[in-house]
Amino acid sequence: MTGQPLPCDAAELGTLFLFEKLDEEQLARLCREGRVERFAPGHVYREGEPATCFYVLLEGTLVMSRRVGNDDVETNRTSQRGVYAGAMQAYLTGPGKSSRYKGSVRVTEPSRFFVLPAETFAAVLREWFPMAVHLLEGLFFGTQTTQRTIGERERLLALGSLSAGLTHELNNPAAAAVRATSALRERVAGMRNKLGVIASGSYRRETLATLVEIQERTAEQVSKATPLSPLEASDREDALEEWFDDHGIAGGWQLAPTFVQAGLDTDWLDRVAAAVDEQTLEGAVRWLNYTVETELLMNEIEDSTTRVSTLVDAAKQYSQLDRAPYQVADVHELLDSTLLMLSGKIGSRIEVVKDYDRSLPRVPAYPGELNQVWTNLIDNAVGAINNAGGEGKLTVRTALDRDQLLVEFRDTGPGIPPDIRGRIFDPFFTTKPVGQGTGLGLDISWRIVVNKHHGSLEVQSVPGDTRFQVRLPLTATESDTPGTPGTPEPSTAPEEAS
């Protein structure tokens, strides 16, 4: 927005703290190459527009805000003469390049600004304060490089931790499948031997046909078996052991647990006894026991390989290797894959509660980067619970919050002290011991949620109840402008975030 042009008074500029050390020639140049403008209540400039000017408040009241989701969040309000905003980093862009405003500025009453074009602002800084510009450039780019390097290191450490956890999770079902396969080979060999014994015995053709039919029904029963409570299983085992004893079958205490696991009872055994005579009953029961064990082992192998497949799918979902970087995603799938990838780190002493609203719509997002946010927040929650003794509850909740999707991570750790709560999103700030944290996890998460997804990331904390709340817009936004957490201090300038 363009204001009403007014005369520029070099003497007035000299009264501002920003220009009070300049000489008359320098002030005259500012007046010659800059201008004074009066703005009616409304926007001076908007976030995302090309940063063409540097603004210094001469008179009035300005309000600075940032776009978070569909809302403008006020970050500063001041009437102090001399506060500045706009193209403050023009000296970093170099000739021929441009940047964009990283926040919006509006005035609540008729206000006057000294306005300096970004190119002029960069030129006078480099000409009048060359050493300061070199120092500022070194600080800015050095911080960026350090942050990028440590960020990459943190991602590598997180990847190593996830890889170790995934390897551990894959090892359990793989080892179970190997053990079950070895035991299955033994049972099949035993079944072949028992089949040979039955075939060479005195079984009639009708009896063998009945046994085969019972075997088929037994295999079907194993697949339909429902889990029993420990007390129910114990009672059924006692009943089966008595049945075996009554029918002269030795070692009934070894057979009973297998039959109970398969969902078989004394009524089923009575049908077996009715199909064969007393002399061949034990052989028939033991032959059918091989059938039961074989079916149970195949179920175990199927469960183990399914578990491996599930873990591989979770790893693909987590990494998003086979998907477009920007897509419409189901946050519940992303949360589940992250929780599964981190299950080894979470451990058995932490109870994980999923309080999902499955009716929520899919949202436009960068799924791989959201998974990084979930990883950082879950990792922080697990660390907090471990600091409180290692036992607690992690609750992951999703809900609709007005026109945004809310994802909340709640832990029962000791909480975040009020004196540091406002700093936890700052780059390099960490409460972990030296070498255990880079202080970039929450900063990276903030940037992903706010910068890339135009959402918000907030924290509420009291001892025993800490909640990190991520809010994501339900629809895509056009702008994709950078920004950082933190609010400029009112006593200085409402600076654009860097």
Side-chain angles (χ1 to χ4, degrees):
M1 173 173 137
T2 303
Q4 175 189 359
L6 299 171
C8 180
D9 183 357
E12 182 182 21
L13 294 184
T15 64
L16 305 176
F17 65 84
L18 188 63
F19 302 134
E20 61 184 358
K21 298 298 183 180
L22 301 183
D23 57 34
E24 292 182 0
E25 182 179 347
Q26 290 172 324
L27 291 172
R29 178 179 175 181
L30 289 180
C31 268
R32 186 170 60 252
E33 300 188 23
R35 61 187 184 273
V36 174
E37 294 184 16
R38 181 181 297 277
F39 290 85
H43 276 88
V44 177
Y45 61 78
R46 295 179 184 273
E47 182 175 354
E49 294 177 347
T52 58
C53 295
F54 175 73
Y55 295 86
V56 182
L57 181 65
L58 298 176
E59 177 186 9
T61 301
L62 66 78
V63 176
M64 190 168 192
S65 62
R66 292 292 313 278
R67 191 72 172 169
V68 179
N70 294 324
D71 301 321
D72 284 317
V73 179
E74 182 176 324
T75 58
N76 194 12
R77 179 185 295 256
T78 182
S79 299
Q80 180 181 351
R81 295 179 70 251
V83 295
Y84 47 91
M88 293 172 47
Q89 295 174 352
Y91 62 91
L92 295 173
T93 62
K97 297 182 180 179
S98 63
S99 61
R100 295 184 178 274
Y101 294 121
K102 298 175 183 178
S104 298
V105 167
R106 61 184 174 88
V107 293
T108 59
E109 60 180 326
S111 303
R112 286 191 307 127
F113 284 88
F114 172 68
V115 183
L116 196 62
E119 296 81 0
T120 303
F121 176 61
V124 297
L125 273 182
R126 291 183 178 278
E127 180 180 338
W128 294 345
F129 312 106
M131 183 176 178
V133 169
H134 286 308
L135 290 173
L136 289 172
E137 284 182 329
L139 176 63
F140 180 82
F141 292 116
T143 301
Q144 278 193 332
T145 301
T146 301
Q147 187 167 334
R148 183 167 55 250
T149 302
I150 294 181
E152 291 173 356
R153 175 64 176 170
E154 182 161 281
R155 284 191 287 271
L156 286 174
L157 291 174
L159 178 61
S161 177
L162 287 171
S163 299
L166 179 60
T167 303
H168 175 74
E169 291 296 319
L170 286 171
N171 181 66
N172 291 334
V178 171
R179 290 194 302 269
T181 302
S182 177
L184 179 62
R185 183 176 287 110
E186 294 179 4
R187 299 305 184 276
V188 171
M191 181 180 290
R192 289 197 300 266
N193 179 66
K194 186 61 65 177
L195 182 60
V197 173
I198 291 175
S200 62
S202 57
Y203 290 95
R204 293 176 299 167
R205 181 186 298 274
E206 295 80 6
T207 301
L208 286 175
T210 302
L211 283 175
V212 171
E213 182 184 355
I214 293 175
Q215 183 185 39
E216 291 298 325
R217 291 204 304 268
T218 300
E220 293 177 2
Q221 179 63 31
V222 172
S223 65
K224 299 176 182 177
T226 56
L228 301 175
S229 67
L231 182 59
E232 290 173 331
S234 178
D235 290 342
R236 185 170 292 188
E237 286 180 18
D238 291 341
L240 288 176
E241 287 180 32
E242 290 180 7
W243 192 96
F244 290 135
D245 291 340
D246 292 342
H247 291 77
I249 298 176
W253 62 274
Q254 293 176 312
L255 300 174
T258 303
F259 283 16
V260 169
Q261 188 178 355
L264 306 178
D265 54 19
T266 55
D267 291 339
W268 179 85
L269 290 174
D270 286 336
R271 289 196 295 271
V272 177
V276 298
D277 54 41
E278 187 175 344
Q279 289 74 24
T280 57
L281 176 60
E282 181 171 356
V285 168
R286 293 192 181 278
W287 178 54
L288 293 174
N289 179 61
Y290 280 120
T291 299
V292 171
E293 290 184 325
T294 300
E295 289 295 322
L296 291 174
L297 288 170
M298 286 193 291
N299 286 346
E300 185 176 348
I301 292 172
E302 182 181 17
D303 291 342
S304 299
T305 52
T306 300
R307 172 69 173 166
V308 171
S309 178
T310 301
L311 285 166
V312 172
D313 287 343
K316 289 173 63 179
Q317 174 70 259
Y318 180 84
S319 63
Q320 297 288 312
L321 289 177
D322 59 344
R323 293 171 172 83
Y326 186 79
Q327 59 181 287
V328 179
D330 184 344
V331 294
H332 301 111
E333 292 179 358
L334 305 181
L335 290 167
D336 285 341
S337 66
T338 305
L339 286 168
L340 185 56
M341 293 289 289
L342 293 173
S343 58
K345 187 166 190 176
I346 294 172
S348 59
R349 300 178 65 191
I350 297 177
E351 178 187 359
V352 177
V353 177
K354 298 179 183 179
D355 182 10
Y356 292 168
D357 180 357
R358 294 285 185 178
S359 66
L360 292 173
R362 298 163 70 89
V363 295
Y366 295 88
E369 300 199 27
L370 282 184
N371 281 336
Q372 187 178 0
V373 175
W374 311 151
T375 299
N376 290 336
L377 298 181
I378 292 171
D379 182 68
N380 279 356
V382 170
I385 294 173
N386 288 334
N387 289 339
E391 291 187 359
K393 181 188 294 185
L394 168 63
T395 302
V396 182
R397 182 173 73 94
T398 62
L400 183 64
D401 185 3
R402 292 180 295 177
D403 58 346
Q404 294 182 312
L405 187 149
L406 168 68
V407 183
E408 181 181 80
F409 299 84
R410 178 181 179 184
D411 69 72
T412 56
I416 304 172
D419 58 326
I420 67 170
R421 198 172 302 158
R423 303 173 56 199
I424 60 173
F425 295 113
D426 292 349
F428 307 109
F429 178 79
T430 179
T431 59
K432 296 179 181 179
V434 175
Q436 294 186 20
T438 61
L440 285 179
L442 290 178
D443 172 59
I444 291 172
S445 299
W446 197 97
R447 291 173 184 273
I448 290 173
V449 172
V450 177
N451 294 357
K452 299 207 70 170
H453 293 85
H454 306 284
S456 65
L457 174 56
E458 300 173 352
V459 62
Q460 300 174 3
S461 183
V462 295
D465 186 2
T466 296
R467 306 182 186 194
F468 281 90
Q469 297 176 328
V470 176
R471 289 177 174 83
L472 301 171
L474 299 177
T475 56
T477 56
E478 295 182 0
S479 60
D480 187 15
T481 54
T484 61
T487 302
E489 294 295 334
S491 59
T492 58
E495 303 179 7
E496 61 183 51
S498 58

